[in-house]
Amino acid sequence: MSVNNPQTREWQTLSSEHHLAPFSDYQQLKEKGPRIITKAEGVHLWDSEGNKILDGMAGLWCVAVGYGREELVEVAAKQMRELPYYNLFFQTAHPPALELAKAVTAVAPKGMTHVFFTGSGSEGNDTNLRMVRHYWALKGKPQKQVIIGRINGYHGSTVAGAALGGMSGMHAQGGTLPGIEHIPQPYWFGEGGDMTPDEFGVWAAEQLEKKILEVGEDKVAAFIAEPIQGAGGVIIPPETYWPKIKEILAKYDILFIADEVICGFGRTGEWFGSDYYDLKPDLMTIAKGLTSGYIPMGGVIVRDEVAKVLSQGGDFNHGFTYSGHPVAAAVGLENLRILRDEKIIERVQAETAPYLQKRLRELNDHPLVGEVRGLGMLGAIELVKDKATRARYEGQGAGMICRQFCFDNGLIMRAVGDTMIIAPPLVISHAEIDELVEKARKCLDLTLEALK
């Protein structure tokens, strides 16, 4: 990125001298300097050099209603004037948190009418770990401690979140805990081998039953999974996967945690991914789209049967200073109103998601593309050297090359290995989808040329 604005250099110097960024190679960042984002409107960002960029990732999957919604700014300011902060500890509460709890459960799957608020999805999954173990202790089964997750699943970057997730790089840096097991992910393109997608979907699901029997049903507390794996590369399970998983879950006495941090609040064209796949979770992790990222907030939606057991168990010794923060709750309420009253999710389902998926599939003809997949406002493009064998450009960093070309040409597309992924704001228009796909094709061309 060329730098012409002296203030860009000043901010990059501040970054180098004072800021430790998340998920970054600090040496590389110091040498290169971060791109400084200064403003946003709708589905576009602007950097400090004046470049306009289409945000194909909705920030980090979260800016559902788009940037620049004055309604969210106004409710935050109003709440700050009335009650900028108070906690939910020690038998106290405040109206915004209580009203948001009601609003969230009104759109949640049937039978899920209780919410525990947190500051993020990571904190939500920390809560899940403690809540399910506490639940089984109250049920007289304290030995049920083990939680089963999936390899390459992502459930946050706190220690508990990283441990529940299945990303080896995070586990290598202190992100492990005892009592957590992992099974293979339902990633047919990368790991399906000679199986058909349907065969692989059944096989991947059967690994859950295999693990339950290996550990012992009497020791397994819960299974945690994203309806669609997001940070792992937009892994959309084969059609046979979730029906088989549901069959297995019904057979054993364990809880099911659906991590809806990415899929929740409309990204699949339904309120939740659990609605799309007709899942029946006992707990659902929420965050991101809850406030459209305008202010941090997360939580856990809890099935009534689980909440009833918890309510009879005395103190639940768990919580956060910012659980149900009144300003965040006010923003969440208004964000849900916008999603509902503007029928944004209905429009995603009926109009924009089908159009996005149709346009994305046009990239299948590109010589660098091995597969395009997507659902709702989620998409993935697999970069390959050989379409027939699915062989990659090993060691050449094709994904990061493509990501850089995207950024330099006005598009944010994220790289997960050699998989390019998108999750634009839910309010993206047909014209902006055209812009996204046209820029993506240009950047695929540039990447192919660079790899040659």
Side-chain angles (χ1 to χ4, degrees):
M1 181 182 92
S2 61
V3 175
N4 300 306
N5 181 356
Q7 197 164 25
T8 301
R9 289 286 185 213
E10 291 176 21
W11 283 321
Q12 289 178 335
T13 299
L14 290 178
S15 170
S16 175
E17 293 180 353
H18 302 292
H19 184 227
L20 295 175
F23 284 93
S24 296
D25 179 323
Y26 293 144
Q27 185 61 42
Q28 186 182 78
L29 186 61
K30 185 172 184 176
E31 291 170 359
K32 187 178 178 183
R35 187 179 295 265
I36 309 296
I37 304 300
T38 55
K39 67 174 184 175
E41 183 69 29
V43 302
H44 290 93
L45 308 166
W46 283 262
D47 66 18
S48 56
E49 295 296 302
N51 298 306
K52 184 179 180 182
I53 307 159
L54 194 156
D55 185 3
M57 283 303 302
L60 278 176
W61 321 82
C62 52
V63 189
V65 301
Y67 298 97
R69 296 299 301 242
E70 284 298 319
E71 306 99 308
L72 300 181
V73 177
E74 288 166 9
V75 297
K78 182 174 183 287
Q79 186 60 49
M80 282 185 177
R81 293 187 185 101
E82 289 179 2
L83 180 69
Y85 171 75
Y86 201 69
N87 66 78
L88 301 180
F89 289 33
F90 316 127
Q91 298 183 7
T92 61
H94 48 70
L98 301 177
E99 290 169 11
L100 180 60
K102 180 182 178 182
V104 167
T105 59
V107 298
K110 186 178 179 182
M112 302 188 80
T113 64
H114 297 77
V115 186
F116 187 103
F117 286 117
T118 68
S120 67
S122 294
E123 288 181 4
N125 283 321
D126 277 37
T127 300
N128 284 326
L129 184 146
R130 296 201 52 209
M131 192 175 279
V132 299
R133 290 177 173 176
H134 180 51
Y135 167 86
W136 286 116
L138 292 173
K139 295 267 285 184
K141 299 180 180 181
Q143 76 280 7
K144 285 176 81 72
Q145 294 271 310
V146 175
I147 301 176
I148 300 170
R150 299 189 298 200
I151 295 166
N152 203 39
Y154 184 81
H155 301 297
S157 62
T158 55
V159 174
L164 290 167
M167 296 193 165
S168 59
M170 299 175 76
H171 291 173
Q173 295 178 345
T176 57
L177 287 174
I180 298 173
E181 301 282 343
H182 296 91
I183 60 172
Q185 61 182 335
Y187 180 23
W188 175 79
F189 186 85
E191 300 173 8
D194 294 329
M195 284 185 269
T196 66
D198 282 354
E199 290 169 345
F200 181 71
V202 171
W203 176 87
E206 287 174 341
Q207 303 314 299
L208 174 59
E209 184 167 36
K210 183 179 177 182
K211 183 62 72 173
I212 293 168
L213 295 174
E214 176 190 312
V215 174
E217 182 186 358
D218 61 324
K219 293 184 176 65
V220 177
F223 171 56
I224 184 170
E226 304 157 86
I228 295 168
Q229 283 166 247
V234 183
I235 307 301
I236 298 171
E239 290 182 5
T240 52
Y241 181 78
W242 279 118
K244 186 66 177 177
I245 287 284
K246 288 193 290 182
E247 179 186 314
I248 293 165
L249 289 170
K251 188 175 176 181
Y252 296 99
D253 189 21
I254 66 173
L255 299 176
F256 173 40
I257 306 164
D259 187 330
E260 293 270 6
V261 170
I262 285 172
C263 291
F265 303 102
R267 188 142 298 276
T268 65
E270 302 281 355
W271 274 98
F272 295 97
S274 293
D275 297 323
Y276 183 87
Y277 287 111
D278 190 28
L279 308 179
K280 299 289 190 290
D282 298 292
L283 304 101
M284 284 176 30
T285 323
I286 56 172
K288 296 191 185 292
L290 173 60
T291 62
S292 281
Y294 275 59
I295 197 163
M297 192 174 213
V300 179
I301 310 176
V302 182
R303 186 161 293 282
D304 295 349
E305 292 87 342
V306 176
K308 182 178 180 181
V309 172
L310 296 172
S311 70
Q312 296 169 349
D315 282 2
F316 180 41
N317 297 309
H318 178 79
F320 304 96
T321 301
Y322 303 117
S323 291
H325 191 289
V327 179
V331 171
L333 265 171
E334 181 65 9
N335 181 67
L336 293 186
R337 185 200 66 75
I338 291 170
L339 287 171
R340 184 184 62 249
D341 290 359
E342 296 185 9
K343 299 190 181 303
I344 289 171
I345 298 171
E346 291 89 337
R347 183 168 176 264
V348 165
Q349 183 185 78
E351 298 177 34
T352 48
Y355 187 71
L356 173 67
Q357 298 304 329
K358 174 180 172 291
R359 290 297 327 267
L360 279 179
R361 296 305 190 284
E362 294 171 14
L363 298 174
N364 269 314
D365 66 2
H366 196 280
L368 187 58
V369 174
E371 179 184 72
V372 176
R373 60 178 176 271
L375 192 158
M377 281 290 156
L378 289 162
I381 303 165
E382 298 280 5
L383 307 185
V384 296
K385 189 173 186 178
D386 187 299
K387 285 176 178 276
T389 64
R390 295 179 247 165
R392 305 283 192 175
Y393 282 90
E394 294 294 342
Q396 292 181 252
M400 291 306 290
I401 292 170
C402 186
R403 178 187 178 276
Q404 190 60 52
F405 278 127
C406 288
F407 232 145
D408 291 343
N409 287 276
L411 173 64
I412 293 176
M413 238 189 344
R414 183 168 165 182
V416 177
D418 287 349
T419 307
M420 306 306 299
I421 60 177
I422 61 157
L426 304 188
V427 294
I428 192 169
S429 68
H430 284 211
E432 289 160 344
I433 289 169
D434 292 339
E435 178 190 348
L436 188 158
V437 174
E438 286 157 15
K439 287 181 173 177
R441 184 175 287 279
K442 176 182 178 180
C443 296
L444 290 169
D445 290 341
L446 292 168
T447 303
L448 181 61
E449 189 62 32
L451 289 167
K452 288 179 178 177

